[in-house]
């Protein structure tokens, strides 16, 4: 019986040995049962020896149990240990797309100045996209924006300026209005600086006549561009948009070459980033507004993202190449 205990090499075997020795039908029980049949004069001696044996076996069992328990714990710790020096590829953590990041940054600025966020449908009609924005049919200004048309006078909006009309006319908002509208726009264009879908943020501020001047527009856009691009020079350049009069395009000093002149800024030292101007009276007339003045501006989010992240090819923004996206986190 001692051997059964000694030879147990793990806790399972030892448990089997325990049952075989100490169990109800085990070795000791059977030995004690013999007491009934042996002659009386031998009983005392037999019982004494058997009790001694039981005690010895018990001791042996306890010792073995302690050893095997320790071994088992040791084995367990050995198997479960972690080699912290082992190489493991870095786990991938997702991040917002650079266009979303840029959009959020732009939105944060204007929301902090109490501009509301207005959104509208991507499918619009000729009136909202052109007519009401002072771009009559057959006007050459329509050529500025190659449009995707549907059959029934509907089209995919080519700019977020449509939301100006939505807000002032369809939603019948009354001045003062202070809003931006971020969203997707569509044009039939595809090359290194154009994709058929891209994003714009439109801005509009309207109040009683005389309340809003070009100075307000100049101040806010300068402040906004410093917030976006840091310590850059800002330049307002006269331009033309049908829905603003006067109109201007806004440039920042080239952040790639510090205005020295490089390929990105076509050696000019300036990068164009915004279109803006005072809302044309014809637009106010179309939406039924009287005695008001206002400014509007529009910008391309992809262009901002490309400048902020120094990405040369716009198309790469939409290819979903993880290596590029990781760099722009
Ligand atoms: N809608 C113009 C475009 O898509 C951008 C723009 C220019 C919006 C001047 C304006 C603005 O509100 O005043 O090119």
């Amino acid at each position: 019986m001692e051997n059964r205990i000694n030879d147990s090499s793990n806790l399972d075997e030892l448990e089997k040995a325990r049952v075989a020795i100490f169990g109800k039908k085990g070795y000791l029980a059977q030995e004690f049962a013999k007491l009934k049949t042996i002659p009386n004069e031998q009983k005392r001696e037999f019982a004494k020896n058997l009790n001694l044996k039981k005690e010895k076996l018990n001791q042996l069992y306890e010792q073995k149990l302690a050893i095997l328990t320790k071994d088992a714990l040791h084995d367990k710790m050995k198997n479960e240990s972690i080699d912290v020096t082992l190489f493991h590829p870095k786990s991938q953590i997702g991040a917002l797309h650079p266009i979303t990041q840029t959009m959020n940054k732009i939105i944060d600025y204007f929301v902090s100045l109490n501009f509301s966020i207005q959104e509208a449908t991507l499918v619009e009609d000729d009136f909202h996209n052109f007519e009401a924005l002072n771009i009559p049919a057959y006007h050459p200004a329509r050529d500025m924006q190659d449009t995707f048309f549907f059959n029934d006078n509907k089209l995919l909006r080519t700019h977020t300026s449509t939301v100006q009309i939505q807000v002032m006319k369809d939603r019948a908002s009354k001045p003062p209005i202070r809003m931006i509208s971020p969203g997707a726009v569509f044009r039939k264009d595809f090359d290194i600086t154009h994709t058929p879908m891209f994003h714009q943020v439109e801005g509009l501020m309207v109040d009683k006549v005389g309340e809003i001047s070009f100075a307000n527009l100049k101040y806010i856009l300068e402040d906004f561009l410093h917030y976006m691009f840091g310590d850059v020079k800002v330049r307002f350049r006269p331009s033309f948009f049908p829905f603003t009069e006067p109109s201007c395009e806004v440039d920042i000093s080239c952040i790639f070459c510090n205005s020295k002149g490089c390929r990105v800024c076509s050696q000019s030292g300036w990068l164009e980033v915004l279109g803006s101007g005072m809302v044309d009276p014809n637009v106010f007339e179309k939406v039924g507004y009287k005695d008001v003045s206002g400014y509007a501006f529009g910008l391309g989010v992809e262009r901002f993202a490309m400048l902020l992240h120094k990405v040369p090819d716009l198309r790469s923004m939409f290819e979903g190449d993880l290596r590029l996206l990781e760099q722009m986190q």
Side-chain angles (χ1 to χ4, degrees):
M1 284 302 125
E2 284 88 344
N3 284 349
R4 275 210 72 163
I5 294 177
N6 284 332
D7 294 348
S8 298
S9 56
N10 57 46
L11 286 169
D12 274 355
E13 283 177 28
L14 184 65
E15 176 59 13
K16 281 186 191 132
R18 188 192 66 77
V19 174
I21 298 166
F22 304 99
K24 262 191 203 158
K25 292 179 185 162
Y27 165 74
L28 285 172
Q30 282 171 25
E31 287 298 295
F32 278 111
K34 286 181 188 164
L35 275 171
K36 281 185 218 153
T37 53
I38 55 176
N40 271 346
E41 61 276 13
Q42 291 173 24
K43 267 191 186 158
R44 220 178 117 86
E45 190 62 20
F46 184 86
K48 192 178 151 199
N49 285 338
L50 200 53
N51 273 322
L52 278 174
K53 186 155 196 185
K54 182 181 170 188
E55 210 169 294
K56 239 177 96 186
L57 284 168
N58 216 355
Q59 258 180 22
L60 199 62
Y61 169 77
E62 293 294 339
Q63 279 167 9
K64 191 74 182 176
L65 181 67
I67 292 167
L68 290 180
T69 306
K70 210 165 127 194
D71 285 355
L73 182 68
H74 191 255
D75 278 355
K76 192 172 173 216
M77 296 212 309
K78 205 164 132 194
N79 290 334
E80 286 180 4
S81 69
I82 298 165
D83 182 354
V84 290
T85 65
L86 208 60
F87 170 78
H88 186 264
K90 208 172 118 227
S91 54
Q92 306 266 328
I93 301 169
L96 292 177
H97 191 278
I99 292 172
T100 311
Q101 287 177 38
T102 307
M103 188 93 105
N104 288 348
K105 189 168 176 183
I106 296 169
I107 290 172
D108 281 353
Y109 175 83
F110 288 102
V111 165
S112 78
L113 292 178
N114 257 339
F115 279 63
S116 68
I117 297 177
Q118 305 280 344
E119 285 176 307
T121 51
L122 308 182
V123 176
E124 276 288 6
D125 54 20
D126 189 90
F127 178 78
H128 287 80
N129 200 82
F130 294 120
E131 197 70 37
L133 287 163
N134 201 27
I135 317 174
Y138 309 113
H139 191 284
R142 289 203 178 192
D143 274 356
M144 288 161 83
Q145 305 180 353
D146 270 335
T147 313
F148 291 108
F149 287 100
F150 298 107
N151 288 333
D152 47 355
N153 191 36
K154 293 265 191 275
L155 47 83
L156 284 172
R157 67 179 187 189
T158 58
H159 50 181
T160 43
S161 302
T162 55
V163 190
Q164 292 189 29
I165 310 305
Q166 286 277 351
V167 168
M168 293 192 284
K169 189 165 190 295
D170 301 49
R171 296 177 197 169
S173 302
K174 292 279 157 267
I177 290 170
R178 206 191 279 155
M179 69 107 181
I180 55 164
S181 183
V185 298
F186 305 84
R187 289 186 202 177
K188 267 190 338 212
D189 245 343
F190 194 51
D191 59 32
I192 185 168
T193 50
H194 298 90
T195 48
M197 189 277 303
F198 60 103
H199 299 83
Q200 288 187 334
V201 175
E202 186 79 11
L204 176 71
M205 187 158 179
V206 182
D207 206 340
K208 287 198 287 282
V209 72
E211 288 289 319
I212 312 270
S213 72
F214 200 88
N216 299 118
L217 172 65
K218 219 176 153 218
Y219 173 82
I220 198 162
L221 290 183
E222 255 176 34
D223 191 51
F224 166 64
L225 291 170
H226 286 143
Y227 158 85
M228 290 302 289
F229 297 105
D231 190 18
V232 288
K233 282 196 226 96
V234 178
R235 171 173 92 166
F236 288 74
R237 192 162 35 76
S239 183
F240 170 78
F241 297 104
F243 28 89
T244 43
E245 181 58 37
S247 304
C248 57
E249 282 175 303
V250 186
D251 302 337
I252 57 169
S253 50
C254 183
I255 50 178
F256 293 91
C257 62
N258 241 330
S259 306
K260 285 192 192 70
C262 65
R263 250 187 48 203
V264 187
C265 63
S266 309
Q267 310 304 330
S268 71
W270 294 97
L271 298 164
E272 182 209 319
V273 289
L274 273 168
S276 65
M278 301 307 290
V279 179
D280 193 294
N282 287 341
V283 175
F284 284 141
E285 203 183 305
K286 289 275 195 232
V287 298
Y289 272 23
K290 284 196 183 72
D291 300 325
V292 291
S293 57
Y295 65 69
F297 59 87
L299 62 89
V301 181
E302 278 75 2
R303 176 143 177 86
F304 272 55
M306 283 169 77
L307 295 177
L308 286 173
H309 295 284
K310 302 206 158 76
V311 181
D313 187 338
L314 170 60
R315 290 169 296 194
S316 57
M317 289 277 183
F318 299 107
E319 279 165 357
D321 186 334
L322 277 179
R323 291 167 304 177
L324 184 107
L325 295 174
E326 271 165 10
Q327 283 178 28
M328 292 196 270
Q329 282 185 16

